[in-house]
Amino acid sequence: MLILVVNCGSSSIKYKLMDMEQETVLLSGLAERIGIAGSRIKQESQAGKELVLEQDLPNHKVALETILKCITDQTYGAISDISMIKAVGHRVVHGGEEFNKSVLINDELIKVLEELSDLAPLHNPPNVVGIKTCREILPGIPHVAVFDTAFHQSIPKHAFMYGIPYQYYEKYKIRKYGFHGTSHKYVSGRAAEILGKSVEELKIIVCHLGNGSSITAVGNGVSVDTTMGFTPLAGLPMGTRTGDIDPAIVTFLMEKENLSIDETNNLLNKQSGVLGVSGISSDFRDLEDAANQGNERAELALSMFAYSINKWIGAFTAALGGLDVVVFTGGIGENSKDMRARVLKGLAYTGLEIDEEKNNSRGKEVIISKPGSPITAMVVPTNEELMIARETKVLATR
Ligand code: ADP
């Protein structure tokens, strides 16, 4: 069964064609700069054939039509006809309180998603455009929506409410939602599988560390708490996002710097985090290089990040009533042995000992704590597309 996984952003579309018999990726690609000059599609097939197509992609419809041509291209594609695609899985950022699991898409659902756009104005509208267009181009097959927020709908009310007047929860649905749910679900499940245990019997903390970073406490196989909140701005300091700060800083800066709402949003989302602190880069490779050369602010940004992770691990151990497994994933979690080592050294008080040799690896599933450690530390590369394809398969074959 062939499933197309689509992740539609405002100016980009990521896609993967998956064969669900063996759960293999037949090809993956990215359409960039949609609606902007210099748009192009990059695609790589399982056979290693790379296609770079520089072509005007004025809108998502043209982009998706062109993607389907690339997928069925005689030389660079993986299939001869689009009718071989049996279902499409769509990543949707915000499912609000309405969705605690993936759903088959119909006209009514699209209306609900449009209503939810208020909660995720940057993310949901392009997701909806992608869904509508894909249904037009690939009619007659099941389309499934897989939500970034769904896994976190198990978080109890005392953990998802904020200390603001209750009426704003009722009026605007202001509460913690959490994101990266598909990744946290996949990684916690896979970690249990690797350890030969059922996910229900483990207390797991998943650290998804990438451009956007979030940590989730998983108990009994469900999300108990997570660091991102009403939006993905909360929790850890990230590449360019603040993470948690005293909310009074926002109005203070707006007044002192005479900032508009747009400028403030830009400051908090695009100019802050490790980029803002270091003044160098949002990319952890650059920061590690700079810190190794003695740059103090790069070092400060890295220590703030590690310290924040350690604080959250402590808090979530309390939320879970103990801890069995810490898992690292995402671009930084999978690739940076230095960041993993910083965090694990901060957990020495638990008796956890890092296996430096095992930790010296990139992008692989590996246990990086020494045998006999009271807490197991491991790396599990995330695979959100596989998770989306699996959920799509289940709903499409029901
Ligand atoms: P996104 O949140 O956009 O999905 P990723 O999970 O792909 O991001 O993570 C991207 C980040 O991973 C980069 O910004 C970079 O900081 C970090 N990264 C990638 N490779 C390494 C590496 N070898 N060492 C340190 N950091 C890395």
Side-chain angles (χ1 to χ4, degrees):
M1 178 180 192
L2 300 192
I3 290 180
L4 181 65
V5 176
V6 178
N7 180 356
C8 241
S10 57
S11 65
S12 73
I13 300 174
K14 283 190 207 152
Y15 60 98
K16 264 190 190 176
L17 184 65
M18 314 265 310
D19 181 348
M20 292 311 284
E21 296 309 319
Q22 277 89 39
E23 296 195 330
T24 47
V25 180
L26 298 184
L27 60 75
S28 57
L30 169 70
E32 293 176 288
R33 301 181 65 85
I34 299 165
I36 310 171
S39 43
R40 61 177 182 177
I41 293 179
K42 283 198 277 186
Q43 178 179 287
E44 194 180 345
S45 71
Q46 193 184 27
K49 286 196 175 136
E50 276 182 52
L51 167 71
V52 180
L53 183 70
E54 315 237 338
Q55 186 188 309
D56 224 17
L57 304 170
N59 54 48
H60 285 73
K61 176 137 199 261
V62 175
L64 280 164
E65 281 167 350
T66 315
I67 285 171
L68 289 176
K69 278 190 197 139
C70 294
I71 291 175
T72 50
D73 187 273
Q74 269 197 339
T75 314
Y76 297 100
I79 52 173
S80 53
D81 195 273
I82 55 169
S83 63
M84 294 167 80
I85 300 170
K86 297 300 175 212
V88 184
H90 297 266
R91 177 192 182 216
V92 181
V93 171
H94 217 308
E97 289 192 318
E98 278 80 355
F99 303 105
N100 61 6
K101 52 180 186 294
S102 305
V103 285
L104 268 178
I105 297 169
N106 54 30
D107 294 342
E108 213 170 293
L109 181 99
I110 289 178
K111 270 194 217 122
V112 179
L113 291 181
E114 280 171 336
E115 281 161 24
L116 282 171
S117 285
D118 211 24
L119 288 176
L122 296 180
H123 299 291
N124 271 31
N127 294 160
V128 175
V129 170
I131 290 172
K132 281 182 170 168
T133 317
C134 269
R135 286 179 86 213
E136 263 171 60
I137 308 177
L138 294 165
I141 57 170
H143 288 249
V144 170
V146 180
F147 302 96
D148 249 28
T149 48
F151 184 56
H152 299 301
Q153 280 297 302
S154 48
I155 294 175
K157 195 163 184 179
H158 64 261
F160 76 62
M161 289 298 289
Y162 292 117
I164 56 173
Y166 195 87
Q167 72 201 59
Y168 298 128
Y169 168 58
E170 294 171 316
K171 197 168 169 189
Y172 303 116
K173 293 272 174 262
I174 296 179
R175 49 158 288 177
K176 175 184 280 196
Y177 289 99
F179 299 87
H180 289 146
T182 311
S183 174
H184 288 296
K185 184 175 178 184
Y186 170 79
V187 169
S188 51
R190 182 67 196 137
E193 224 171 74
I194 294 167
L195 296 172
K197 302 227 160 116
S198 107
V199 71
E200 285 81 13
E201 61 184 296
L202 291 170
K203 296 181 165 91
I204 305 175
I205 292 180
V206 179
C207 305
H208 178 118
L209 313 175
N211 258 327
S213 296
S214 70
I215 299 184
T216 295
V218 182
N220 284 319
V222 302
S223 172
V224 169
D225 204 346
T226 191
T227 54
M228 283 180 170
F230 178 58
T231 74
L233 192 54
L236 302 168
M238 306 177 211
T240 61
R241 297 185 199 135
T242 56
D244 288 350
I245 56 171
D246 180 340
I249 296 169
V250 179
T251 44
F252 182 91
L253 275 179
M254 285 179 87
E255 192 179 12
K256 292 281 182 201
E257 298 279 313
N258 198 19
L259 300 176
S260 68
I261 289 178
D262 276 354
E263 287 166 337
T264 310
N265 273 329
N266 192 52
L267 171 74
L268 301 174
N269 281 287
K270 299 271 165 68
Q271 300 168 32
S272 297
V274 294
L275 168 68
V277 171
S278 69
I280 293 177
S281 172
S282 63
D283 192 303
F284 278 66
R285 285 163 290 201
D286 300 339
L287 295 176
E288 286 177 358
D289 288 346
N292 287 335
Q293 285 161 23
N295 186 296
E296 283 178 18
R297 272 169 54 190
E299 174 56 34
L300 172 65
L302 292 171
S303 352
M304 283 170 66
F305 188 70
Y307 176 66
S308 180
I309 295 170
N310 279 134
K311 276 206 302 191
W312 280 109
I313 292 176
F316 285 171
T317 302
L320 288 166
L323 179 61
D324 300 310
V325 190
V326 176
V327 201
F328 294 94
T329 195
I332 301 160
E334 290 165 28
N335 295 307
S336 173
K337 66 175 178 5
D338 291 349
M339 186 47 69
R340 293 192 300 255
R342 276 180 199 253
V343 172
L344 293 186
K345 281 176 188 155
L347 291 177
Y349 69 91
T350 64
L352 190 157
E353 271 188 88
I354 180 170
D355 185 329
E356 300 280 1
E357 212 171 293
K358 293 268 175 58
N359 186 43
N360 193 7
S361 82
R362 283 184 50 186
K364 281 205 293 267
E365 289 182 344
V366 58
I367 293 175
I368 56 174
S369 51
K370 286 193 177 158
S373 277
I375 296 165
T376 304
M378 56 203 294
V379 178
V380 175
T382 194
N383 199 338
E384 286 158 289
E385 291 87 358
L386 175 59
M387 198 75 208
I388 293 173
R390 281 182 183 164
E391 307 230 332
T392 302
K393 183 182 171 188
V394 170
L395 286 170
T397 50
R398 218 174 242 175

